[in-house]
């Protein structure tokens, strides 16, 4: 996939399909350490040790009937091209932590891309999910929590036109501020 | 600059306006499996939400779902109107979205050339 934000959407969808009710997503860009880290922590059903090592094997996952984790080998390949790694920690019944690390300045690193659209999709598409997002770029950070939004909304759906417009603007503006007010990379 | 304070104000406005109506709206469901995402499901989702905002549609709910095993027909979008069969559109692009929304979601006319499945409820 051409954008990290699409991989991120895929990781969150995996968590939802693993019956997670809670997902914590972090994107940490540390320019002095030259790293970009994506972390997704969920409270889904988790995996056995064996399964953990198999999910990154494209030949294994493409043959299972449940196609969960189809995207993981793709992410692993993209991290490895960028002097990074993919780490999976999982415990049955407790949840899964996935960490993808990239060298920030690596010329093969896909751009983060349209993170605002990814967040909008997650928030609107999974209204029951306790979703939390934290994005750091050096000293700056932005976070948004579904629980906080839902509390303000008090039952009014996110898909009301006015609310949608607010959400789109809010995400775009706050993400832009992380990069000093200019819009991120190519979005 | 939009803030959570703005959201609080909007919430009150919307709530006052919609409190009398019953939600018997149309459901739109976008497939977000890996192939769906790779085929452009996020762009389709954004296009749907943009249409909702632009056309001021107040009784549409949008959900996402996982893989249903039709990779080659991704992006898949289902439209469910009350009292009508559930329609699955396939190979949907962001360009198709205004037509699907205007014809089917708003006016109840199925866009036959994009249909890949119909399920009687
Ligand atoms: S995502 Fe590939 S068949 Fe569903």
């Amino acid at each position: 996939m051409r954008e990290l934000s699409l991989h991120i959407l895929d990781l969150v969808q995996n968590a939802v399909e693993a019956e997670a009710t809670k997902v914590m997503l972090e994107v940490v860009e540390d320019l002095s350490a030259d790293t970009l880290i994506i972390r997704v922590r969920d409270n889904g059903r988790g995996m056995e040790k064996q399964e953990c090592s198999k999910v990154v094997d494209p030949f294994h996952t493409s043959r299972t009937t449940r196609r969960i984790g189809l995207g993981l080998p793709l992410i692993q390949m993209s991290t490895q091209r960028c002097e990074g790694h993919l780490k999976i920690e999982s415990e049955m019944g407790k949840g899964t932590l996935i960490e993808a690390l990239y060298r920030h300045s690596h010329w093969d690193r896909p751009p983060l891309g349209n993170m605002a659209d990814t967040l909008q999709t997650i928030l609107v598409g999974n209204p029951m999910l306790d979703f939390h997002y934290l994005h750091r770029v050096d000293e700056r950070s932005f976070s948004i929590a579904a629980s906080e939004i839902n509390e303000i909304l008090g039952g009014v759906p996110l898909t009301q036109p006015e609310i949608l417009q607010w959400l789109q603007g809010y995400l775009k503006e706050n993400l832009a501020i992380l990069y000093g007010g200019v819009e991120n990379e190519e979005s | 600059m939009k803030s959570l304070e703005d959201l609080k104000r909007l919430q009150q406005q919307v709530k006052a306006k919609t409190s009398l109506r019953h939600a018997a709206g149309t459901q739109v469901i976008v497939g977000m499996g890996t192939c769906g995402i790779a085929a452009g499901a996020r762009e389709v989702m954004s296009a749907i939400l943009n249409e909702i905002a632009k056309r001021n549609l107040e009784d549409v709910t949008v959900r996402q779902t996982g893989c249903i095993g039709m990779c080659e027909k991704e992006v898949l979008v289902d439209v469910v109107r009350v009292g009508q069969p559930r329609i699955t559109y396939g190979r949907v692009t962001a360009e198709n979205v205004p037509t699907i929304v205007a014809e089917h979601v708003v006016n109840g006319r199925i866009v036959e050339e994009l249909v890949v499945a119909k399920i009687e409820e």
Side-chain angles (χ1 to χ4, degrees):
Chain A
M1 293 193 217
R2 55 202 187 281
E3 293 181 10
L4 295 181
S5 56
L6 291 173
H7 283 305
I8 290 172
L9 185 57
D10 186 45
L11 288 173
V12 173
Q13 181 60 38
N14 283 346
V16 170
E17 286 181 40
E19 285 151 17
T21 54
K22 203 171 171 168
V23 173
M24 168 81 201
L25 165 65
E26 277 176 276
V27 176
V28 182
E29 299 180 58
D30 184 334
L31 299 178
S32 47
D34 198 17
T35 53
L36 186 155
I37 300 173
I38 296 163
R39 246 184 238 117
V40 181
R41 195 186 300 271
D42 73 56
N43 68 347
R45 75 171 91 81
M47 293 176 284
E48 306 272 14
K49 270 240 146 50
Q50 239 189 343
E51 209 183 334
C52 276
S53 49
K54 278 188 192 152
V55 285
V56 291
D57 174 358
F59 299 105
H60 169 79
T61 48
S62 59
R63 278 196 209 135
T64 56
T65 41
R66 284 205 339 258
R67 297 180 194 224
I68 296 169
L70 192 66
L72 282 171
L74 297 175
I75 300 176
Q76 189 184 38
M77 284 189 289
S78 84
T79 57
Q80 285 170 349
R81 270 199 303 270
C82 305
E83 295 167 45
H85 63 244
L86 178 75
K87 211 169 75 184
I88 305 174
E89 276 171 32
S90 192
E91 211 182 313
M92 280 308 272
K94 290 244 167 81
T96 301
L97 168 69
I98 292 191
E99 182 182 283
L101 181 139
Y102 294 83
R103 198 171 106 198
H104 200 290
S105 65
H106 200 285
W107 73 305
D108 272 338
R109 179 178 68 78
L112 192 55
N114 196 337
M115 202 55 216
D117 273 12
T118 284
L119 292 172
Q120 169 182 261
T121 298
I122 295 169
L123 288 165
V124 172
N126 305 283
M128 305 307 276
L129 185 66
D130 184 359
F131 175 71
H132 197 283
Y133 177 65
L134 172 67
H135 191 154
R136 267 187 228 286
V137 181
D138 287 336
E139 307 293 275
R140 297 179 215 241
S141 70
F142 166 60
S143 68
I144 185 167
S147 56
E148 193 181 3
I149 304 283
N150 287 337
E151 199 187 322
I152 296 175
L153 287 176
V156 170
L158 257 183
T159 40
Q160 286 300 303
E162 301 89 334
I163 309 283
L164 266 182
Q165 265 165 4
W166 172 86
L167 181 67
Q168 291 172 346
Y170 183 73
L171 292 172
K172 273 213 182 83
E173 289 168 4
N174 279 287
L175 288 167
I177 288 171
L178 282 179
Y179 300 94
V182 291
E183 296 244 334
N184 161 38
E185 297 175 317
E186 34 79 278
S187 63
Chain B
M1 186 66 207
K2 295 198 166 47
S3 67
L4 292 174
E5 289 307 311
D6 297 332
L7 181 61
K8 286 183 190 150
R9 250 185 304 112
L10 278 173
Q11 190 269 350
Q12 312 232 299
Q13 289 170 16
V14 174
K15 188 139 205 186
K17 197 174 65 176
T18 53
S19 57
L20 295 174
R21 295 175 333 102
H22 296 282
T26 300
Q27 249 188 308
V28 181
I29 304 152
V30 184
M32 284 284 166
T34 303
C35 326
I37 294 171
R42 187 189 67 186
E43 286 68 23
V44 167
M45 174 69 117
S46 299
I48 293 167
L49 298 176
N50 287 342
E51 283 301 301
I52 291 177
K54 208 170 76 192
R55 296 172 153 269
N56 207 23
L57 306 177
E58 290 176 351
D59 53 359
V60 180
T61 55
V62 183
R63 292 285 178 274
Q64 70 182 58
T65 181
C67 170
I68 56 163
M70 287 206 283
C71 272
E72 67 289 350
K73 299 210 173 89
E74 302 280 358
V75 177
L76 294 160
V77 175
D78 284 14
V79 176
V80 191
R81 281 175 66 97
V82 195
Q84 282 180 18
R86 174 183 186 136
I87 303 297
T88 301
Y89 293 109
R91 296 198 188 87
V92 176
T93 65
E95 287 76 60
N96 299 142
V97 167
T99 315
I100 293 174
V101 172
E103 290 293 311
H104 194 171
V105 176
V106 176
N107 290 312
R109 285 192 299 260
I110 296 165
V111 186
E112 297 290 347
E113 64 271 27
L114 297 171
V115 173
V116 292
K118 282 187 198 185
I119 302 163
E120 298 291 338
E121 301 274 281

